[in-house]
Amino acid sequence: MTKYESRYGVDARIDPDASVDSPDRKFPDIDYEAKIFDDQEKYFSEEYRKQEWDRLWTKIWHIAGRVSDLDKAGDYFTYELGAESFIVTRTGDGDIKAYYNVCHHRGNRLVHDNYGNVKSFVCSFHSWTWNLDGSLKKITDRETFDEDLVCDNPALTEVRCDLWGGFIFISMNDDVEPLIDFLGELPAVLQNYNMDDMILVSDVETDWPVNWKTVLDAFMEGYHAHITHPELLTMIDDFHFQHDVFSNGHSRMHIPMGLVSPRKSDRGKLSDEMREIIESIGMDASQYEGKASDIRADIPAAKRKWAKKYGNDYGHFTDSQLSDDWNVNIFPNITFNMHPEAVLVMRFRPHATDPERCLYDFWVLARKVSDPNYYLPAYMGVPKEADLSGNAPRSERTYGKWGEVSFGPVVDQDAATVPFVQKGLRSRAFKGARYSQQEMRLTHFYIEYDRYLKGE
Ligand code: FES
Ligand SMILES: [Fe+2]
């Protein structure tokens, strides 16, 4: 399909003159054939849930957690995915390893809590014990076992583990491609953000009454902003996103901020939300003489100055990275909303048994700043008094159910919508999803998803 022309006469590209190695550049679109995605059972059927487990989740790389949670030898955390649980730990040699969280004696979960520090992993049932490197340390009363049953000295079953951006990725697939190949274009495109160096300042895990893809879909397009998030229209241009699709199902959309939606007739007045944004980066909203629709052009210089005041050099970021929100999908289940000062990470995990439930994880990673007067712009949802120095203990994880925890107005609006979508997907009258070019990331995602489910 030919690319539509903006009815507002605006070029949606970040920078039409971007060089071939600039992260701002427009990547080539893929000319997917127009089709209705009429396999909506994938959002609720048990058969799809099983197929996803066998052909997607057990085959691919996924993010288990952050390297910063494994500071010293013996630190560990557990990571649950579907019916599996994994222990991710730092060994005495300083390596990071990941194991299935299961005891080889009678199948007890070896570790029951979410994180901690141990010298060895001791099973709570009959005290079989493993070293941090996964080797067997002790079988209690070994002489009471027929030696044939234990002569293999079973080590913990290891899974593949690799690092990028301060994240620990694991894969249950021994033949999985190297992580760096799987990530494709992303490391180069996102290099400026240097997420290795960011600290975890918010960590929330919630249980939602929808399929993991029903909620993920809502975070992969901006087409719904004008009706679901009307207050955003005074601070973003919701119609002119640059959408980029990458290899292996990954994608990006850039959300231009510091603009007023062309859908709005009044484009001059600064909204309270816009005032708050520019005040938080050291601009004086009361002295601002331009129109609200012009602020984006002024943000990069202001943000560089603001960062410098607090000891950070933002010189290497492009103007768009400073003013805009780069929304990235690491296929299948991670999204980033990226700013130089902080990244919001969302992770969508399938429920162990119910295809109409999922786990929605919400993390904020922040760049370190020790000045107590510094705070993050309101769109990150981090309290102004949060300690961002990197010296405070990591933020405690909080848990909740859908509807009990607030993620701020925008995500709460999405949360209110998606259970209705989940219900509607089951209707006999619903004949499948039709995606616009504003939803091209969904087309790209589901083409890749289908490849996995067909076992290609
Ligand atoms: S189940 Fe772990 S020691 Fe028995
Ligand atoms: Fe939304």
Side-chain angles (χ1 to χ4, degrees):
M1 179 185 168
T2 31
K3 180 82 183 156
Y4 63 91
E5 289 284 316
S6 162
R7 64 180 177 271
Y8 304 104
V10 172
D11 188 332
R13 287 173 295 176
I14 297 171
D15 173 6
D17 302 318
S19 65
V20 289
D21 53 2
S22 164
D24 288 356
R25 70 192 184 276
K26 174 78 188 90
F27 286 72
D29 289 337
I30 299 176
D31 195 11
Y32 289 123
E33 159 196 357
K35 77 163 196 168
I36 292 182
F37 286 77
D38 60 358
D39 53 349
Q40 53 269 30
E41 297 80 11
K42 69 189 174 209
Y43 293 102
F44 52 81
S45 89
E46 177 58 15
E47 192 186 323
Y48 266 92
R49 189 191 68 74
K50 284 191 185 132
Q51 274 188 23
E52 280 181 4
W53 184 256
D54 292 342
R55 298 178 186 178
L56 176 70
W57 297 114
T58 55
K59 298 286 183 258
I60 202 160
W61 286 106
H62 26 95
I63 289 181
R66 291 286 292 170
V67 176
S68 54
D69 278 339
L70 304 180
D71 213 22
K72 49 189 186 306
D75 283 354
Y76 69 86
F77 63 82
T78 51
Y79 162 55
E80 317 285 316
L81 184 74
E84 287 291 358
S85 172
F86 303 91
I87 307 168
V88 187
T89 191
R90 193 177 284 279
T91 70
D93 295 336
D95 296 337
I96 290 178
K97 290 196 174 222
Y99 314 108
Y100 286 92
N101 182 10
V102 65
C103 173
H104 287 302
H105 176 219
R106 278 171 45 198
N108 187 21
R109 279 267 161 96
L110 190 52
V111 170
H112 300 178
D113 44 9
N114 294 319
Y115 40 87
N117 181 278
V118 289
K119 295 219 168 358
S120 52
F121 296 107
V122 183
C123 180
S124 64
F125 205 178
H126 314 91
S127 71
W128 285 30
T129 304
W130 282 268
N131 295 306
L132 298 176
D133 67 4
S135 58
L136 180 73
K137 184 170 182 186
K138 185 186 85 172
I139 293 177
T140 308
D141 303 339
R142 183 172 179 133
E143 71 279 15
T144 65
F145 286 85
D146 186 325
E147 186 56 23
D148 286 352
L149 297 180
V150 293
C151 60
D152 60 338
N153 293 317
L156 294 177
T157 308
E158 203 170 332
V159 291
R160 294 280 301 276
C161 185
D162 207 347
L163 314 178
W164 171 78
F167 294 99
I168 302 170
F169 287 73
I170 68 162
S171 178
M172 289 174 261
N173 178 4
D174 289 338
D175 300 321
V176 71
E177 66 189 312
L179 177 64
I180 198 72
D181 295 347
F182 168 70
L183 291 172
E185 299 88 340
L186 289 176
V189 170
L190 306 182
Q191 185 183 19
N192 285 351
Y193 293 89
N194 185 21
M195 283 189 285
D196 298 77
D197 209 30
M198 288 184 167
I199 50 169
L200 185 67
V201 294
S202 182
D203 181 0
V204 185
E205 174 183 314
T206 49
D207 188 328
W208 286 36
V210 297
N211 184 269
W212 65 277
K213 301 183 296 300
T214 311
V215 52
L216 170 67
D217 290 356
F219 289 108
M220 296 248 283
E221 47 89 2
Y223 181 34
H224 68 282
H226 63 281
I227 177 94
T228 306
H229 312 297
E231 75 286 356
L232 286 182
L233 304 196
T234 64
M235 50 197 274
I236 68 168
D237 177 343
D238 63 313
F239 190 68
H240 297 101
F241 291 9
Q242 174 173 309
H243 296 94
D244 292 293
V245 294
F246 303 126
S247 50
N248 301 331
H250 314 307
S251 63
R252 159 180 74 172
M253 65 184 177
H254 109 284
I255 303 170
M257 295 182 69
L259 291 173
V260 177
S261 168
R263 299 179 203 270
K264 302 273 289 181
S265 48
D266 179 2
R267 310 190 60 227
K269 198 168 151 278
L270 260 66
S271 67
D272 289 346
E273 291 84 2
M274 189 86 105
R275 271 174 203 286
E276 215 179 319
I277 288 182
I278 63 172
E279 297 268 349
S280 69
I281 57 165
M283 290 167 77
D284 183 349
S286 64
Q287 298 297 311
Y288 190 76
E289 288 179 347
K291 290 197 298 188
S293 51
D294 296 334
I295 288 178
R296 179 171 179 246
D298 296 325
I299 289 179
K303 209 177 238 190
R304 285 189 185 104
K305 196 169 142 197
W306 169 71
K308 200 165 188 177
K309 179 176 162 194
Y310 293 106
N312 278 318
D313 180 1
Y314 283 1
H316 57 294
F317 285 101
T318 69
D319 283 0
S320 169
Q321 289 176 326
L322 289 157
S323 59
D324 303 334
D325 177 351
W326 282 23
N327 174 301
V328 169
N329 170 233
I330 301 184
F331 183 87
N333 70 329
I334 300 292
T335 65
F336 294 151
N337 288 86
M338 312 190 74
H339 304 271
E341 65 278 10
V343 175
L344 165 58
V345 180
M346 298 187 194
R347 184 175 65 175
F348 308 86
R349 286 180 290 155
H351 188 268
T353 53
D354 185 349
E356 292 192 278
R357 281 172 67 186
C358 71
L359 295 171
Y360 170 75
D361 301 316
F362 183 99
W363 304 341
V364 178
L365 307 177
R367 186 141 344 265
K368 284 179 255 180
V369 173
S370 332
D371 191 320
N373 298 314
Y374 173 88
Y375 62 91
L376 291 171
Y379 47 72
M380 296 315 307
V382 173
K384 283 186 175 172
E385 59 281 6
D387 184 334
L388 306 176
S389 66
N391 301 323
R394 66 97 88 195
S395 176
E396 285 288 324
R397 183 173 302 154
T398 55
Y399 298 88
K401 288 208 177 317
W402 173 90
E404 289 175 2
V405 181
S406 174
F407 298 95
V410 176
V411 175
D412 289 355
Q413 288 157 346
D414 295 312
T417 302
V418 290
F420 292 109
V421 178
Q422 185 68 36
K423 286 191 168 76
L425 289 165
R426 279 179 167 277
S427 170
R428 296 171 65 218
F430 180 62
K431 300 298 181 206
R434 312 157 202 229
Y435 297 132
S436 66
Q437 288 183 36
Q438 296 184 75
E439 298 155 294
M440 60 152 49
R441 298 171 75 208
L442 295 176
T443 306
H444 185 61
F445 177 94
Y446 283 111
I447 298 278
E448 184 72 2
Y449 172 91
D450 286 347
R451 269 200 274 269
Y452 272 92
L453 262 65
K454 284 183 196 138
E456 284 172 15

